[in-house]
């Protein structure tokens, strides 16, 4: 962990920040709910392209990591997979998700833990990991370790989807309010390499306001040695 990461990225502080956020789409999106439709439409198109890969991932089970109240699961993932698990460290977000999906046959397990506490020994195999707008709360070394762990939980032809903000310049941007870091694309690529992952597809989100951070989505697979 760099000195700046040590000073700013803090699991307890980010947890405290999100404990104060309401369990609504507005809370999940920082009051910019108008980006949700473009986000979901873009994700759906990207996922269609992923299913066209050869070999393609299965559609049996996926997991939405850092899912909040389950916005992406509700609007996309439950329509594409037989079972969707949720992973979220905030208890009230998990409770809201349980309420939302109480009559949904596609809902699998809800894991009330943070990404840093992911234990591959106790998890099922997944065709796909969906990870969006949550990796900014993990320092580099912990993020590499997280990727190494979830790679062990991938089923045959499984894939990891990462969608995150990236900086417009060549330096990381730190936020002391929620204890997060917005990385450069090159930083992400270095982390993927360290975690023995290769990029099989990379796209930039379109139809987002220009005053926001650029957003990139990556499809990743472990490098077979």
């Amino acid at each position: 962990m760099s000195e700046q990461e040590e000073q700013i990225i803090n699991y307890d502080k980010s947890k405290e920040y999100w404990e104060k956020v309401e369990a609504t789409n507005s809370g999940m999106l920082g009051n910019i709910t108008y980006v949700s439709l473009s986000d979901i439409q873009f994700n759906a198109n990207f996922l269609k392209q992923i299913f066209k890969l050869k070999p393609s991932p299965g559609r049996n089970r996926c997991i939405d990591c850092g899912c909040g109240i389950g916005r992406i699961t509700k609007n996309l993932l439950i329509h594409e997979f037989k079972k969707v698990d949720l992973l979220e460290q905030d208890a009230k977000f998990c409770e809201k998700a349980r309420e939302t999906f109480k009559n949904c046959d596609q809902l699998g397990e809800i894991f009330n833990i943070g990404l840093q506490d992911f234990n591959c020994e106790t998890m099922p195999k997944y065709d796909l990991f969906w990870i969006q707008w949550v990796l900014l709360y993990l320092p580099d070394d912990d993020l590499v370790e997280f990727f190494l762990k979830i790679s062990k939980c991938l089923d045959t032809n499984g894939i990891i989807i990462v969608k995150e903000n990236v900086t417009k310049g060549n330096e990381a941007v730190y936020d002391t309010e929620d204890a997060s870091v917005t990385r450069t694309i090159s930083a992400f690529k270095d982390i993927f390499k360290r975690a023995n992952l290769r990029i099989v597809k990379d796209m930039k989100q379109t139809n987002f306001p220009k005053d926001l951070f650029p957003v990139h989505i990556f499809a990743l697979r472990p490098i077979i040695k």
Side-chain angles (χ1 to χ4, degrees), residues 90-157:
D90 189 275
K92 71 177 180 299
F93 296 164
C94 289
E95 189 56 37
K96 180 66 174 180
R98 288 189 186 95
E99 185 181 311
T100 298
F101 299 109
K102 62 183 177 181
N103 296 318
C104 178
D105 292 337
Q106 286 80 19
L107 179 66
E109 300 289 333
I110 297 181
F111 301 100
N112 184 196
I113 59 173
L115 271 64
Q116 67 276 13
D117 298 318
F118 186 96
N119 183 356
C120 57
E121 303 300 327
T122 61
M123 305 295 277
K125 293 289 186 180
Y126 292 104
D127 296 300
L128 184 138
F129 279 81
W130 193 281
I131 313 164
Q132 179 169 340
W133 288 332
V134 66
L135 298 183
L136 62 165
Y137 298 106
L138 273 68
D140 289 358
D141 290 346
D142 287 6
L143 182 48
V144 170
E145 183 63 25
F146 171 70
F147 281 135
L148 289 170
K149 287 191 290 186
I150 66 175
S151 293
K152 297 177 182 178
C153 289
L154 285 174
D155 210 340
T156 305
N157 303 327

Side-chain angles (χ1 to χ4, degrees), residues 18 44 46 55 76 78 164 170 178 198 217:
W18 283 101
F46 188 81
L76 177 61
I78 61 171
E164 292 290 336
N170 297 319
D178 66 351
R198 62 185 177 91
I217 187 166

Side-chain angles (χ1 to χ4, degrees), residues 32-219:
I32 52 171
T33 53
Y34 55 86
V35 304
S36 186
L37 181 59
S38 293
D39 172 56
I40 294 297
Q41 289 176 336
F42 188 89
N43 291 350
N45 177 61
F46 188 81
L47 194 53
K48 284 181 181 178
Q49 296 182 52
I50 295 308
F51 284 131
K52 292 179 181 177
L53 292 174
K54 295 188 184 301
S56 64
R59 292 175 181 255
N60 185 50
R61 196 177 194 116
C62 78
I63 182 167
D64 186 357
C65 295
C67 66
I69 62 173
R71 180 184 65 92
I72 294 171
T73 291
K74 178 181 178 181
N75 294 292
L76 177 61
L77 299 178
I78 61 171
H79 305 292
E80 300 291 345
F81 293 89
K82 292 178 182 178
K83 287 292 180 184
V84 181
D85 291 350
L86 306 180
L87 189 149
E88 169 57 50
Q89 76 168 359
D90 189 275
K92 71 177 180 299
F93 296 164
C94 289
E95 189 56 37
K96 180 66 174 180
R98 288 189 186 95
E99 185 181 311
T100 298
F101 299 109
K102 62 183 177 181
N103 296 318
C104 178
D105 292 337
Q106 286 80 19
L107 179 66
E109 300 289 333
I110 297 181
F111 301 100
N112 184 196
I113 59 173
L115 271 64
Q116 67 276 13
D117 298 318
F118 186 96
N119 183 356
C120 57
E121 303 300 327
T122 61
M123 305 295 277
K125 293 289 186 180
Y126 292 104
D127 296 300
L128 184 138
F129 279 81
W130 193 281
I131 313 164
Q132 179 169 340
W133 288 332
V134 66
L135 298 183
L136 62 165
Y137 298 106
L138 273 68
D140 289 358
D141 290 346
D142 287 6
L143 182 48
V144 170
E145 183 63 25
F146 171 70
F147 281 135
L148 289 170
K149 287 191 290 186
I150 66 175
S151 293
K152 297 177 182 178
C153 289
L154 285 174
D155 210 340
T156 305
N157 303 327
I159 204 153
I160 298 167
I161 304 293
V162 168
K163 189 173 186 182
E164 292 290 336
N165 294 347
V166 297
T167 65
K168 296 178 179 179
N170 297 319
E171 298 290 334
V173 176
Y174 293 88
D175 188 331
T176 56
E177 183 180 8
D178 66 351
S180 69
V181 56
T182 300
R183 295 177 169 90
T184 65
I185 287 183
S186 62
F188 271 115
K189 290 181 177 179
D190 179 63
I191 287 168
F192 299 154
K193 184 177 180 180
R194 288 175 58 194
N196 196 40
L197 295 171
R198 62 185 177 91
I199 299 171
V200 295
K201 195 166 188 62
D202 169 16
M203 293 178 65
K204 182 181 178 182
Q205 169 75 46
T206 56
N207 299 322
F208 265 23
K210 296 189 185 306
D211 59 332
L212 299 179
F213 280 117
V215 179
H216 273 252
I217 187 166
F218 304 91

